[in-house]
Amino acid sequence: MNSKVIVLDVERRLAAASAAEMALRATLSAAPVPMILLDLDQRPLLFSQGWFDQAVTSRASQLLNHHPLFLSPEFTQTARRCQETRAAETCRVEIAAAPEGQPRWFSFEFNAWPSDGSPYSRLIAVGRDVTEAVLAARETEAARQSLAEQNARFDAALNNMPHGLCMFDAEKRLILCNAAYRRLYALPDRLLEPGTTLGDIFDHRRSVGTGPKSFSAFSVATVEAALNGAAATSDVELTNGRTIRITHNPIATGGYVATHEDITEALRATAQIEFLAFRDPLTGLPNRAAFQRAYDDAVAAAERGGEMFGLIMIDVDHFKDVNDTLGHDAGDALLKGLAGQLKRAFRHGDTVARLGGDEFAIVLRDLKSEADMIRPIELLQGLLRTPIEHAGQSFTICASIGAAAHGDPDDDPTHLLKNADVALYQAKYDGRNRSVVFRPAMRTEVEKRVELLREVRLAIGQGEFELFYQPVVDVAANAVAGFEALMRWRHPEQGVLPPAAFMAAFEDNDLSLQLGEVAFEGALGQMRAWLDQGVEFGRVAINISSAQFRTGRLAEEIADKLERWNVPADRLTIEVTENVYMGWGAEVVSDTVKRLHATGVLIALDDFGTGYASLANLRQFPIDRLKIDKSFVQNSQDDAIVRAVINLGSSMGMKVVAEGVERPDQLATLTRYGCDQVQGYHFAKPMPATEVAGFIDAFSVRGRG
Ligand code: C2E
Ligand code: CA
Ligand code: CA
């Protein structure tokens, strides 16, 4: 179509227009707002001045009548709707941008003209540039959307965090909380609404077991502190056993935000690590490291505040023998049993520790007096008397106990460990199975003893120990029945020393074994010599210490030695004190004694009457001789006892030997009561081996004469 044709068409339409339309056209075309007159095919007929002023469409595109606006569905459909309804209709249309420009938006309001519905009616559209509003709305929408996205991200973060989080306002009303918080305290949906009071949440928690175990002033204080603007942390135990670490932080708008971390597992792990590092796995007691910590704490408290504290050291008597003879299971059972008894005897706050092996120690804090320490020791000694059952066997624990207390502020508390050790040493020295409380004098005694043991060890190496022999006389025959071999120390400076001067050596496991070896080798060697020389010495009795029994090999060793020295077994008697029978490993003792007895070695029960054994107890052992202790023999008030023992012994088929006979009247009394054999200064003191042959000769002459 050329422009000429278009002009003709417009003129044709103008001619058809009524006068009213002419007037409308005149007004419309001059209008400063964007307006457009459309025919009923929605084709533009006329544009206002404002249309071009605001460049809704360009003049050229208008003339060509093909601007996309007029073809856009919003525009054409709205126009058509207006045409049908004859009511005002609006639409918003985006006007595509020029290549480099911004798009614009116009809203168009369509109205039918004239409004009476005449067939030649037109549509008038009034346009309004709404670009700004659209852009503003877009921005708001974008902002809304990004906020929503941010919220979603925030929610995801909040609800996926492992810790509980909640926020309360200054009136302690809930602002928000996360999923972990709700799980932690088993909160129902209704309590998650903002505005729920802290009180309501607590009420619910209490009812479902997620409330605090004790409503500690501390955790209340932390809430208050946070409300007052200070951050605070507290660990709260719940009634369901969990422990929650709560950190409150004030927020600028008032109120606080709190994180709730379930630290139960972490605590358990820490406790487990503590347990492994500071516990003895066998007994479950604190170990040496834990003991050291408790001890250091006690020392610090004593130095700081003058607190009185106590220390007890415990050593199981002959524990090694239990392990060796009854097995490690029995040893473990004993240690566990002892641990249990210790726990019962001492207060909860005392540190009862196993230092290792058969050593235990207890730190007692905050003592009022030494009596506070002695009381549980007595309790323990009572408990120790109850037997421990293991694998069908029952046995009792014997233990040596050393105790020391620090109370004098002038003393150095760090000495307590040493003091308790000294007391323990003293308890062992006094014969074990007892308790001793440290006294300052003990320290020098112990030091002396340690020195003595050192000297004895050297002296054994130097061959300074030898046996003296004391005759045993048969009362009826008035003849030498044999000799008791007694140890002497030929000290280079102090001369010949009796066992009283080195008794500690017999208490020491190692040294008593060495001395036992000296005694056997010496006595058997001597007997061999006498046999070769034709000296009629009868029997020789050798004293045996408990350590020698506990090796479990004594019977074999004696048999070997007898064979090696070629000495008949019926020339040997061994003397055993009743305490050896009664101590640990009685089974081993019984076994050894039976085997020895079977070979022909005689068994004498030494020092009878001084220990705890009753004859009934001893019945199980093969005993050939009963030696009445010299304390009975020498005290005439004990005559009745002496007579009873002699009667008892003979009724059980044992020969009775009386020791310590010093005077003729004592011999006369014993003879009258029917005592079999006697031994004492009345006949002779223990003498060197070289004098024995001469003594036998002299005695037989005197006896005969
Ligand atoms: P024990 O086995 O009871 O020996 C008897 C003690 O009484 C000996 O003391 C002896 O010298 C002493 N004695 C004998 N007759 C009289 C007397 O009429 N009056 C007085 N007051 N005492 C008399 P000793 O030789 O000093 O030995 C003391 C203890 O040492 C022994 O007591 C024994 O238990 C122990 N012992 C001695 N030698 C050995 C040994 O080789 N091995 C072991 N394990 N112990 C030994
Ligand atoms: Ca003896
Ligand atoms: Ca004796």
Side-chain angles (χ1 to χ4, degrees):
M1 236 192 284
N2 62 32
S3 60
K4 185 108 178 152
V5 176
I6 296 166
V7 172
L8 283 176
D9 183 46
V10 170
E11 279 170 351
R12 189 183 54 78
R13 287 164 190 251
L14 282 172
S18 66
E21 187 173 332
M22 289 299 284
L24 169 71
R25 284 178 179 241
T27 341
L28 192 146
S29 66
V33 293
M35 290 178 85
I36 186 172
L37 187 71
L38 303 160
D39 67 13
L40 291 182
D41 296 323
Q42 296 104 37
R43 276 177 309 205
L45 297 177
L46 186 70
F47 299 86
S48 72
Q49 185 59 40
W51 187 273
F52 299 116
D53 289 349
Q54 292 190 24
V56 182
T57 59
S58 69
R59 229 175 257 275
S61 63
Q62 167 257 297
L63 284 174
L64 287 172
N65 206 4
H66 64 235
H67 191 276
L69 169 68
F70 310 120
L71 304 172
S72 74
E74 299 95 326
F75 192 86
T76 51
Q77 281 163 18
T78 312
R80 207 169 292 135
R81 221 167 38 244
C82 175
Q83 209 170 290
E84 282 159 14
T85 60
R86 307 203 69 83
E89 294 287 344
T90 54
C91 70
R92 178 189 291 171
V93 183
E94 181 180 342
I95 311 286
E100 72 287 1
Q102 286 279 334
R104 290 183 304 153
W105 286 267
F106 275 83
S107 94
F108 295 100
E109 183 182 312
F110 291 86
N111 282 286
W113 182 92
S115 45
D116 58 9
S118 75
Y120 301 105
S121 56
R122 301 275 182 265
L123 293 175
I124 302 168
V126 183
R128 193 159 50 87
D129 188 342
V130 294
T131 306
E132 251 171 57
V134 168
L135 288 180
R138 282 211 173 169
E139 233 164 74
T140 316
E141 171 58 18
R144 198 196 58 77
Q145 205 162 342
S146 91
L147 191 67
E149 278 167 19
Q150 201 174 314
N151 277 344
R153 278 196 293 268
F154 178 68
D155 271 1
L158 203 60
N159 290 317
N160 283 299
M161 63 188 272
H163 302 169
L165 182 137
C166 63
M167 213 183 257
F168 283 88
D169 66 15
E171 268 72 56
K172 295 186 224 169
R173 284 181 315 232
L174 184 65
I175 298 170
L176 63 84
C177 66
N178 70 353
Y181 179 80
R182 147 201 203 166
R183 271 198 306 275
L184 211 49
Y185 301 120
L187 301 180
D189 289 346
R190 69 178 165 85
L191 288 179
L192 304 179
E193 290 300 315
T196 308
T197 65
L198 187 60
D200 285 348
I201 290 177
F202 264 113
D203 286 346
H204 171 80
R205 284 177 47 185
R206 251 182 243 114
S207 73
V208 296
T210 58
K213 193 175 264 177
S214 72
F215 209 73
S216 80
F218 182 58
S219 62
V220 174
T222 54
V223 170
E224 296 307 325
L227 288 174
N228 291 321
T233 297
S234 61
D235 291 349
V236 178
E237 253 188 274
L238 307 187
T239 38
N240 64 7
R242 314 295 297 177
T243 304
I244 313 295
R245 173 159 300 166
I246 306 176
T247 303
H248 290 94
N249 276 298
I251 43 182
T253 53
Y256 63 85
V257 57
T259 55
H260 295 239
E261 181 185 1
D262 187 337
I263 56 169
T264 316
E265 301 310 329
L267 287 181
R268 253 179 226 157
T270 314
Q272 184 69 16
I273 290 164
E274 278 263 309
F275 189 83
L276 293 177
F278 291 102
R279 289 278 144 171
D280 165 48
L282 177 69
T283 59
L285 291 179
N287 64 6
R288 185 180 282 275
F291 163 79
Q292 191 61 48
R293 210 167 47 170
Y295 178 67
D296 292 345
D297 285 352
V299 168
E303 281 172 340
R304 217 183 315 110
E307 184 191 298
M308 183 173 187
F309 74 104
L311 186 60
I312 298 172
M313 309 290 277
I314 297 179
D315 198 309
V316 178
D317 295 336
H318 311 311
F319 179 68
K320 199 180 160 300
D321 305 337
V322 180
N323 265 340
D324 291 352
T325 61
L326 301 176
H328 284 270
D329 282 356
D332 286 356
L334 178 147
L335 293 175
K336 283 190 218 162
L338 178 57
Q341 291 172 336
L342 287 170
K343 273 189 241 161
R344 283 173 58 197
F346 291 92
R347 295 174 304 179
H348 194 65
D350 298 334
T351 304
V352 176
R354 178 177 174 219
L355 302 186
D358 58 346
E359 278 178 74
F360 292 79
I362 300 110
V363 180
L364 301 100
R365 293 287 299 272
D366 213 5
L367 303 178
K368 300 280 168 292
S369 70
E370 211 176 72
D372 285 350
M373 178 176 73
I374 292 167
R375 223 174 301 113
I377 295 178
E378 286 171 352
L379 193 61
L380 175 66
Q381 283 174 320
L383 291 173
L384 286 177
R385 280 192 279 275
T386 34
I388 288 175
E389 308 287 337
H390 173 71
Q393 280 185 308
S394 82
F395 43 84
T396 47
I397 303 173
C398 296
S400 300
I401 303 172
H406 167 83
D408 185 347
D410 292 338
D411 283 348
D412 183 348
T414 59
H415 286 166
L416 206 62
L417 198 56
K418 205 169 159 207
N419 293 352
D421 255 338
V422 166
L424 175 62
Y425 192 99
Q426 185 70 47
K428 289 186 191 174
Y429 178 76
D430 290 350
R432 301 174 190 268
N433 193 18
R434 69 197 62 222
S435 71
V436 168
V437 178
F438 174 79
R439 297 285 169 257
M442 277 175 205
R443 188 171 284 147
T444 48
E445 270 177 54
V446 167
E447 279 161 4
K448 268 193 244 157
R449 210 173 298 141
V450 169
E451 176 64 14
L452 174 74
L453 293 182
R454 202 179 58 80
E455 283 176 20
V456 168
R457 204 165 291 127
L458 284 175
I460 293 174
Q462 301 287 319
E464 292 174 12
F465 286 91
E466 68 175 75
L467 292 173
F468 273 34
Y469 295 86
Q470 186 181 36
V472 179
V473 174
D474 191 282
V475 176
N478 190 25
V480 175
F483 289 83
E484 177 174 7
L486 294 157
M487 193 59 77
R488 292 294 179 268
W489 180 1
R490 214 176 266 282
H491 196 282
E493 287 132 37
Q494 297 168 43
V496 175
L497 299 176
F502 53 91
M503 213 59 209
F506 285 122
E507 311 288 341
D508 183 90
N509 197 61
D510 192 40
L511 288 179
S512 67
L513 289 180
Q514 292 190 38
L515 287 174
E517 188 67 13
V518 170
F520 266 110
E521 289 297 312
L524 290 172
Q526 189 57 61
M527 286 152 84
R528 184 66 255 157
W530 284 333
L531 287 170
D532 292 343
Q533 294 157 15
V535 177
E536 230 352 287
F537 61 88
R539 277 184 183 266
V540 169
I542 297 179
N543 293 284
I544 305 286
S545 65
S546 51
Q548 286 171 281
F549 265 105
R550 288 199 307 267
T551 63
R553 298 184 305 269
L554 188 64
E556 289 73 28
E557 277 175 7
I558 291 177
D560 284 353
K561 286 186 202 301
L562 286 170
E563 199 181 300
R564 188 151 44 79
W565 288 105
N566 189 23
V567 172
D570 63 7
R571 289 292 192 155
L572 181 65
T573 299
I574 61 162
E575 297 196 357
V576 187
T577 62
E578 48 188 88
N579 293 337
V580 172
Y581 282 108
M582 301 322 291
W584 264 106
E587 244 112 293
V588 189
V589 174
S590 155
D591 195 54
T592 302
V593 164
K594 279 177 191 154
R595 273 188 282 160
L596 281 172
H597 188 258
T599 65
V601 175
L602 284 193
I603 313 295
L605 183 62
D606 207 355
D607 299 347
F608 183 69
T610 57
Y612 306 101
S614 69
L615 272 183
N617 276 344
L618 297 168
R619 249 205 178 115
Q620 50 174 319
F621 305 114
I623 293 168
D624 307 291
R625 299 274 185 275
L626 210 54
K627 295 191 80 171
I628 308 178
D629 192 71
K630 59 179 171 289
S631 60
F632 298 108
V633 173
Q634 293 174 347
N635 189 346
S636 56
Q637 287 174 340
D638 288 339
D639 274 5
I641 296 176
V642 170
R643 181 150 67 169
V645 171
I646 291 170
N647 290 339
L648 201 69
S650 60
S651 75
M652 289 172 80
M654 305 169 183
K655 277 196 173 167
V656 179
V657 187
E659 289 182 329
V661 181
E662 293 183 0
R663 296 192 312 266
D665 61 298
Q666 291 165 343
L667 177 61
T669 309
L670 290 162
T671 308
R672 201 167 66 244
Y673 291 158
C675 184
D676 300 295
Q677 296 182 336
V678 286
Q679 182 184 346
Y681 295 175
H682 174 68
F683 301 100
K685 289 192 173 179
M687 62 190 79
T690 50
E691 296 174 15
V692 167
F695 175 82
I696 294 170
D697 286 346
F699 192 87
S700 59
V701 170
R702 196 180 64 184
R704 248 183 253 120

